[in-house]
Amino acid sequence: NVLVTGARANEMNENGVNRVQAAGAAYVFERGTSSWYQTQKLLASPRVVFDLFGISVAIQGAQVFVGAY
């Protein structure tokens, strides 16, 4: 009951500041009893302009895989 989604054009860090153009992000959600809840925002380190982190995402077992450009 886990979902991961990529946001390759995301520009903000985990605090909503430090804009980096198209650095990207991935978001992890877990299903609750009646809806989905965001549990994590994943960012590359370091964040690089046009890195497109989150261009592809996958889950296998307990592991999350995030692609970048």
Side-chain angles (χ1 to χ4, degrees), residues 1 12 17 20 22 26 30 34 39 41 43 51 63 66 68:
N1 294 329
M12 301 300 183
V17 295
V20 176
E30 292 184 24
S34 61
T39 56
K41 179 177 182 178
L43 301 170
D51 203 18
Q63 296 179 318
V66 182

Side-chain angles (χ1 to χ4, degrees), residues 20-66:
V20 176
Q21 187 176 9
Y27 296 88
V28 179
F29 294 85
E30 292 184 24
R31 185 169 27 186
T33 56
S34 61
S35 62
W36 291 86
Y37 299 94
Q38 181 184 328
T39 56
Q40 290 184 299
K41 179 177 182 178
L42 307 175
L43 301 170
S45 180
R47 295 169 57 233
V48 179
V49 173
F50 292 113
D51 203 18
L52 302 177
F53 186 79
I55 196 165
S56 58
V57 295
I59 298 176
Q60 182 175 358
Q63 296 179 318
V64 171
F65 301 89
V66 182

